[in-house]
Amino acid sequence: MCFPHIMNICVQHVADHFTNSIVAAQEVSQAWDATIDGIVMDKKTYIAAITNNPVALGRSAIKAIRVSGLRRDKFMEVVKTGNAKQWFKSPLNELVTVPEVELLRDVCMRWDSTYFMINRLRAMRPAIDFFLSTPNQQDISGHKMTDSEWQVLEDLEKILDVPHRVQQQMSSESMPQLGSAVPCFELFMTAWESLATKFPRLRPSIDVGLEWAKSYYICMDLTDTYVIAMCKSTILGDK
């Protein structure tokens, strides 16, 4: 039962660092990698986007669109009409179909809700940008985010996707076994380390989470219960 709790602690520290715009901007600036997914990104623009805290901007945009039933209905009308008339395009100028679903809000005590919020927000970006640019929504047009701010959100989603997949793996078991906790936790840390190597700009935030993860891993390593559980699970599996 402590597995999701420990995961939550590690990820919350990453999210706190990522949204601490001043600290994050300074450390990302030092670990900067100019090429982002094959696209050359301007360093000053990206750092400025971090400073603006895109997570908070995303929450504000969601709140503005969901503020009333009438506005939510208008937004969904734009989504459906836009899909039918092929209005929406990706940042690479490719036609896309936006999922006809509601925007999600996150809960501060659940890191995975922030992951789902960002995931849904990015999936619906073409419709959001279109909706906030329409003349009838001028009063909330200031909530439209820049390409760099969307990129920062995508980067945080990359980080959160790792613990999400590991937690899903644990949750997929009808009766989670203690013996699988350590291998899953090792997978979690290894995946984060690989992500930090692949995207150096993400390392400052990932390292914060890894520091906490490693401290808990040491505690597990010193607990005989996990070793016994893994050996027992292996023996039963062989049978």
Side-chain angles (χ1 to χ4, degrees), residues 81-208:
T81 305
N83 283 335
K85 297 187 177 182
Q86 297 184 332
W87 288 346
F88 305 132
K89 294 184 178 181
S90 71
L92 298 177
N93 205 36
E94 299 172 339
L95 286 175
V96 295
T97 299
V98 174
E100 297 178 8
V101 291
E102 294 283 350
L103 291 169
L104 299 176
R105 290 178 174 173
D106 65 340
V107 180
C108 62
M109 296 304 293
R110 290 184 55 194
W111 71 265
D112 54 338
S113 69
T114 301
Y115 169 79
F116 286 121
M117 178 192 75
I118 295 173
N119 182 269
R120 178 68 58 82
L121 195 67
R122 291 190 56 252
M124 303 187 75
R125 174 187 173 178
I128 294 170
D129 286 345
F130 186 95
F131 183 72
L132 295 177
S133 299
T134 57
N136 293 334
Q137 306 301 330
Q138 288 184 356
D139 58 321
I140 61 171
S141 61
H143 291 286
K144 185 176 180 180
M145 291 188 289
T146 66
D147 290 342
S148 298
E149 288 162 353
W150 280 110
Q151 180 62 57
V152 174
L153 268 186
E154 181 180 345
D155 283 349
L156 180 55
E157 184 184 1
K158 283 188 178 79
I159 297 175
L160 298 184
D161 184 62
V162 171
H164 167 70
R165 285 186 285 110
V166 173
Q167 185 160 287
Q168 287 293 103
Q169 181 175 333
M170 286 289 289
S171 301
S172 65
E173 299 179 7
S174 58
M175 182 64 70
Q177 300 295 316
L178 180 61
S180 64
V182 173
C184 281
F185 204 71
E186 289 176 343
L187 174 65
F188 158 59
M189 292 191 298
T190 300
W192 256 2
E193 289 170 350
S194 298
L195 191 65
T197 300
K198 185 177 181 180
F199 303 105
R201 67 185 180 280
L202 304 184
R203 180 171 290 282
S205 294
I206 291 176
D207 281 349
V208 172

Side-chain angles (χ1 to χ4, degrees), residues 15-130:
D16 289 344
H17 179 272
F18 205 90
T19 55
N20 186 341
S21 56
I22 296 177
V23 174
Q26 291 175 344
E27 295 185 356
V28 170
S29 179
Q30 296 172 358
W32 179 249
D33 50 328
T35 303
I36 295 178
D37 298 338
I39 301 173
V40 177
M41 177 70 69
D42 179 70
K43 178 179 179 179
K44 290 183 179 180
T45 303
Y46 187 89
I47 299 301
I50 293 178
T51 306
N52 290 336
N53 193 348
V55 176
L57 295 178
R59 290 192 184 108
S60 297
I62 293 170
K63 182 179 180 181
I65 294 173
R66 289 172 53 105
V67 69
S68 68
L70 179 61
R71 182 163 280 164
R72 286 199 299 271
D73 291 343
K74 288 182 178 179
F75 177 67
M76 286 308 302
E77 183 181 340
V78 166
V79 172
K80 293 177 181 179
T81 305
N83 283 335
K85 297 187 177 182
Q86 297 184 332
W87 288 346
F88 305 132
K89 294 184 178 181
S90 71
L92 298 177
N93 205 36
E94 299 172 339
L95 286 175
V96 295
T97 299
V98 174
E100 297 178 8
V101 291
E102 294 283 350
L103 291 169
L104 299 176
R105 290 178 174 173
D106 65 340
V107 180
C108 62
M109 296 304 293
R110 290 184 55 194
W111 71 265
D112 54 338
S113 69
T114 301
Y115 169 79
F116 286 121
M117 178 192 75
I118 295 173
N119 182 269
R120 178 68 58 82
L121 195 67
R122 291 190 56 252
M124 303 187 75
R125 174 187 173 178
I128 294 170
D129 286 345
F130 186 95

